[in-house]
């Protein structure tokens, strides 16, 4: 019973976090208020190709998350290169850099906590996803086994896209593994961000109802 309650709490946090990408801004992003610190894999790679280190991008992203207004991560990085100081860069964008550092530590701790949770509760998570996508657990486990660097957060988002587009999650995941981003797949099926966000909420409610019944 304890583990089942822990599953509810942890997955609830996960489902909310997937759409905010662990956003720690002063307000929670929603359908009319997207997370302006969110980055696609292609955006990250573009910045790396421009010569920025992963640590620099991570710090710039932290400033964007804490900021009360929309900030372009590329603009923050460019400003940092000119100022040579993260403290000054944050101050110039009216952000308390101590808060940025504190949030980074908090995010790292939560990340480690969730990694441990996934490992300890993998069977229960996959059982829930199997029911949500109407897919045998064995098939989902096979997808995991055939995926290098499997990420449960991305897999859950793929499950939502599959449901909204009325496609098998196996098909969605294989397309993603072939090189198409989940964002591109959602666009291909004419899915709006708001619809995906709302379905995340619906998934959470369904999970809570299923566990409590």
């Amino acid at each position: 019973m304890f583990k089942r309650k822990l599953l509810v709490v942890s997955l609830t946090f996960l489902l909310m976090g997937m759409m905010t990408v662990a956003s720690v801004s002063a307000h929670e992003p929603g359908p009319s208020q997207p997370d302006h610190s969110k980055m696609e894999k292609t955006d990250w790679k573009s910045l790396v190709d421009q010569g920025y280190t992963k640590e620099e991008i991570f710090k710039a992203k932290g400033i964007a998350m804490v900021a009360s207004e929309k900030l372009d991560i590329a603009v923050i990085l460019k400003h940092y290169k000119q100022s040579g100081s993260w403290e000054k860069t944050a101050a110039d964008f009216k952000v308390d850099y101590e808060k940025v550092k504190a949030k980074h530590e908090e995010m790292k701790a939560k990340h480690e906590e969730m990694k441990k949770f996934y490992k300890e509760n993998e069977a229960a998570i996959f059982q829930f996803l199997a029911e949500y996508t109407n897919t045998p657990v064995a098939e989902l486990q096979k997808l995991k086994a055939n995926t290098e660097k499997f990420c449960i957060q991305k897999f859950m988002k793929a499950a939502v896209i599959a449901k909204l587009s009325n496609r098998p999650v196996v098909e969605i995941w294989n397309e993603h593994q072939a090189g198409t981003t989940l964002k591109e797949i959602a666009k291909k099926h004419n899915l709006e961000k708001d619809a995906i966000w709302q379905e995340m909420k619906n998934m959470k409610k369904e999970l809570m109802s299923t566990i409590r019944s």
Side-chain angles (χ1 to χ4, degrees):
M1 180 64 69
F2 175 78
K3 285 192 173 182
R4 295 184 76 186
K5 290 184 177 180
L6 177 60
L7 173 62
V8 174
V9 174
S10 301
L11 279 179
T12 297
F13 174 83
L14 168 63
L15 293 171
M16 294 176 66
M18 282 171 61
M19 296 310 296
T20 60
V21 192
S23 175
V24 290
S25 59
H27 43 264
E28 180 182 353
S32 60
Q33 195 172 30
D35 177 9
H36 53 256
S37 69
K38 184 175 181 180
M39 291 182 67
E40 295 294 332
K41 184 177 180 181
T42 51
D43 299 328
W44 185 284
K45 184 176 184 302
S46 175
L47 292 173
V48 171
D49 290 342
Q50 292 176 46
Y52 296 111
T53 66
K54 292 183 178 181
E55 181 180 0
E56 289 172 338
I57 298 171
F58 182 68
K59 289 182 177 179
K61 186 176 186 295
I63 292 175
M65 284 194 292
V66 174
S68 59
E69 61 181 334
K70 183 175 181 179
L71 295 178
D72 190 308
I73 294 176
V75 172
I76 297 174
L77 287 165
K78 183 177 180 180
H79 191 88
Y80 164 71
K81 287 298 185 181
Q82 294 174 341
S83 70
S85 167
W86 283 112
E87 287 79 0
K88 186 177 187 308
T89 298
D92 289 343
F93 286 107
K94 299 179 181 179
V95 171
D96 184 347
Y97 193 60
E98 290 303 313
K99 290 184 178 180
V100 176
K101 291 193 292 185
K103 290 302 180 182
H104 279 166
E105 290 303 314
E106 179 183 330
M107 289 167 63
K108 286 171 62 177
K110 287 181 178 179
H111 177 68
E112 291 303 316
E113 181 182 343
M114 291 308 294
K115 280 176 59 178
K116 180 180 179 181
F117 170 78
Y118 295 144
K119 184 176 181 179
E120 294 177 348
N121 299 277
E122 182 178 291
I125 294 172
F126 270 82
Q127 181 59 49
F128 170 75
L129 290 175
E131 295 173 4
Y132 179 78
T133 62
N134 194 28
T135 308
V137 173
E139 278 196 56
L140 300 186
Q141 291 287 3
K142 184 177 179 180
L143 291 178
K144 176 180 180 292
N146 293 335
T147 301
E148 185 178 358
K149 296 182 179 179
F150 180 83
C151 176
I152 191 65
Q153 293 98 321
K154 285 187 177 181
F155 193 72
M156 292 184 77
K157 185 174 182 180
V160 166
I161 292 174
K163 185 168 185 177
L164 291 177
S165 62
N166 197 30
R167 307 301 303 173
V169 67
V170 174
E171 177 183 308
I172 297 297
W173 188 250
N174 284 338
E175 185 176 355
H176 173 56
Q177 289 304 298
T180 307
T181 67
L182 291 176
K183 180 180 179 180
E184 291 170 339
I185 295 174
K187 184 176 181 180
K188 172 184 174 182
H189 292 290
N190 300 313
L191 300 180
E192 299 292 335
K193 287 183 178 180
D194 290 1
I196 296 175
W197 183 87
Q198 186 61 50
E199 181 57 26
M200 289 294 178
K201 290 183 63 178
N202 294 341
M203 178 195 274
K204 179 186 70 173
K205 290 179 181 179
E206 182 180 343
L207 170 65
M208 297 289 281
S209 176
T210 300
I211 296 299
R212 287 173 176 173
S213 62

